[in-house]
């Protein structure tokens, strides 16, 4: 064998069956081979276990799929390369021309774009209500055949809480599927509800360190299996190396999430007492209008705190720029704290009524609380509030 051949056929290493690595290796291989054509055909007919092509299945992804579906209390999971691709792929797989979708004003921007623009192009109609409009939701589901409702809880950025029991029971009675983007609440929340599909951006709490992107679609096997048929050929695959990093991030998921929630409560109590802060949006505060609902639905209250400053764009930007421990950046769920000033939250596409429902105004600032010491965070917020109003 010449060296030019050898580099393409490196020596195989066999690990004995009774000799296991404690951390599963990264199967950074696109292709997997069987001994012969017959076994390959048996695999393709689903008559034997194995792997063939990593866009469809890969052992590193399989471990993460098993972990995430168990945590969410379901039995199947599909991984993709980003959170938004779970939204686009799920909606395309679940909807067809002539269907109607229930969407919410408080939904993540790209979700609204996908439903309004992308599905719209393919003849899927939608109605957009406020997540707080319980009578409107009930009436719509009773009167209008609706394929699915896609929603979030807590919502971004002002942490409204969806009444999940209300929504799922009305949807089930109407034959409408429910899709919950559960990114903010995490894998340990909302599993007890009658939700058909959970979506997660793994870029946030799962990876946890702000260095890798991914997405998960979780649900019961029959439904996810049917979706897999359509989503596979769309090809939004997660790379095995990214899956490995996310799997590693999951080892500290509960520690991080619990500590970040504890920090978020301390920070929100501090901000609530500050004279320059008109309102704090954090479901863990007893003053949050849906605190009781959040307490009933969730094991904790999340790591995102939004505030209404006693000022506008100018004070919001000065506040964000004066913070030393909070970086001005998108995303949530990293170990370091982040801030979004009002200019970056304020959406230009709402009608006046929708804007009022969104509760995002010119003084709204979103904070994503990290793992820093809580007194350092509060001291930093205090000095930045002083600078913002001087
Ligand atoms: C970030 C986020 C997404 C998108 O995830 P990416 O991994 O950034 O594509 C979707 N939904 C929610 C609620 C998010 O916060």
């Amino acid at each position: 064998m010449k060296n030019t051949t050898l580099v393409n056929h490196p020596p195989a290493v066999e690990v004995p069956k009774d000799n296991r690595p404690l951390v599963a290796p990264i199967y950074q291989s696109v292709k997997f081979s069987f001994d012969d054509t017959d076994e390959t055909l048996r695999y393709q007919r689903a008559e034997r276990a194995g792997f063939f092509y990593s866009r469809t299945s890969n052992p590193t992804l399989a471990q993460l799929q098993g972990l995430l579906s168990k945590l969410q209390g379901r039995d199947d999971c599909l991984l993709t390369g980003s959170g938004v691709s779970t939204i686009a792929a799920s909606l395309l797989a679940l909807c067809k021309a002539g269907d109607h979708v229930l969407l919410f004003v408080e939904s993540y921007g790209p979700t609204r774009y996908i439903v309004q623009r992308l599905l719209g192009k393919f003849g899927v109609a939608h109605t957009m209500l406020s997540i707080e409009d319980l009578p409107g939701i009930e009436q719509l589901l009773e009167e209008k055949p609706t394929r699915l409702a896609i929603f979030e809880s807590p919502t971004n950025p002002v942490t409204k809480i969806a009444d999940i029991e209300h929504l799922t029971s009305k949807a089930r009675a109407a034959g409408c599927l429910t899709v919950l983007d559960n990114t903010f609440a995490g894998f340990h929340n909302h599993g007890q509800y009658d939700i058909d599909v959970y979506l997660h951006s793994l870029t946030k709490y799962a990876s946890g360190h702000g260095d890798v992107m991914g997405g998960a679609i979780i649900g019961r096997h029959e439904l996810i299996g049917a979706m897999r048929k359509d989503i596979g050929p769309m090809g939004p695959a997660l790379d095995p190396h990214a899956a490995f990093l996310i799997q590693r991030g999951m080892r500290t998921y509960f520690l991080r999430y619990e500590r970040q929630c504890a920090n978020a409560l301390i920070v929100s109590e501090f901000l609530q007492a500050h004279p320059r802060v008109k309102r704090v949006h954090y479901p863990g505060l007893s003053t949050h209008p849906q605190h009781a609902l959040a307490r009933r639905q969730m094991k904790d209250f999340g790591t995102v705190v939004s505030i209404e400053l006693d000022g506008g764009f100018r004070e919001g930007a000065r506040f964000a720029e004066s913070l030393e421990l909070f970086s001005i950046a998108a995303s949530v769920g990293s170990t370091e704290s982040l801030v979004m000033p009002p200019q970056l939250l304020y959406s230009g596409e709402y009608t006046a009524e929708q804007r009022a429902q969104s509760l995002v105004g010119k003084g709204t600032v979103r904070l994503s609380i990290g793992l820093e010491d809580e007194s350092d965070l509060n001291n930093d917020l205090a000095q930045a509030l002083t600078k913002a109003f001087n």
Side-chain angles (χ1 to χ4, degrees), residues 192-208:
Q192 73 274 32
Y193 289 102
D194 185 19
I195 299 284
D196 294 297
V197 179
Y198 295 87
L199 306 179
H200 287 271
S201 166
L202 305 179
T203 315
K204 313 292 170 57
Y205 301 102
S207 81

Side-chain angles (χ1 to χ4, degrees), residues 186-255:
F187 305 93
H188 60 295
N189 273 309
H190 300 152
Q192 73 274 32
Y193 289 102
D194 185 19
I195 299 284
D196 294 297
V197 179
Y198 295 87
L199 306 179
H200 287 271
S201 166
L202 305 179
T203 315
K204 313 292 170 57
Y205 301 102
S207 81
H209 296 74
D211 51 9
V212 58
M213 303 194 80
I217 304 170
I218 301 171
R220 61 181 183 280
H221 179 63
E222 320 142 87
L223 182 59
I224 300 296
M227 291 167 72
R228 187 176 273 119
K229 274 196 181 150
D230 286 346
I231 294 175
M234 294 184 213
L238 183 67
D239 181 77
H241 191 256
F244 172 83
L245 289 174
I246 294 164
Q247 176 75 60
R248 185 169 70 165
M250 285 306 296
R251 287 182 180 252
T252 54
Y253 167 79
F254 285 101
L255 284 176

Side-chain angles (χ1 to χ4, degrees), residues 183-356:
T183 300
F184 269 42
F187 305 93
H188 60 295
N189 273 309
H190 300 152
Q192 73 274 32
Y193 289 102
D194 185 19
I195 299 284
D196 294 297
V197 179
Y198 295 87
L199 306 179
H200 287 271
S201 166
L202 305 179
T203 315
K204 313 292 170 57
Y205 301 102
S207 81
H209 296 74
D211 51 9
V212 58
M213 303 194 80
I217 304 170
I218 301 171
R220 61 181 183 280
H221 179 63
E222 320 142 87
L223 182 59
I224 300 296
M227 291 167 72
R228 187 176 273 119
K229 274 196 181 150
D230 286 346
I231 294 175
M234 294 184 213
L238 183 67
D239 181 77
H241 191 256
F244 172 83
L245 289 174
I246 294 164
Q247 176 75 60
R248 185 169 70 165
M250 285 306 296
R251 287 182 180 252
T252 54
Y253 167 79
F254 285 101
L255 284 176
R256 286 184 283 106
Y257 199 92
E258 279 167 22
R259 176 65 192 269
Q260 286 174 260
C261 287
N263 276 357
L265 183 60
I266 292 168
V267 161
S268 57
E269 282 168 348
F270 167 77
L271 289 167
Q272 193 167 38
H274 196 285
R276 290 300 193 178
V277 178
K278 283 197 296 197
R279 181 170 176 187
V280 180
H281 304 277
Y282 185 64
L285 291 175
S286 58
T287 51
H288 187 288
Q290 294 162 303
H291 176 65
L293 178 62
R295 207 170 248 298
R296 216 163 50 239
Q297 287 189 174
M298 299 169 74
K299 300 190 170 82
D300 37 35
F301 304 104
T303 77
V304 173
V305 177
S306 287
I307 55 175
E308 300 305 322
L309 287 178
D310 184 19
F313 278 165
R314 185 168 157 273
E315 290 75 16
R318 279 172 60 162
F319 169 64
E321 288 159 13
S322 303
L323 285 164
E324 282 165 16
L325 296 176
F326 294 73
S327 303
I328 298 176
S331 197
V332 302
S334 307
T335 63
E336 74 280 12
S337 292
L338 306 171
V339 58
M340 286 282 272
Q343 288 85 342
L344 299 179
L345 295 174
Y346 200 77
S347 165
E349 54 190 81
Y350 285 134
T351 63
E353 189 196 2
Q354 291 165 349
R355 175 172 309 292

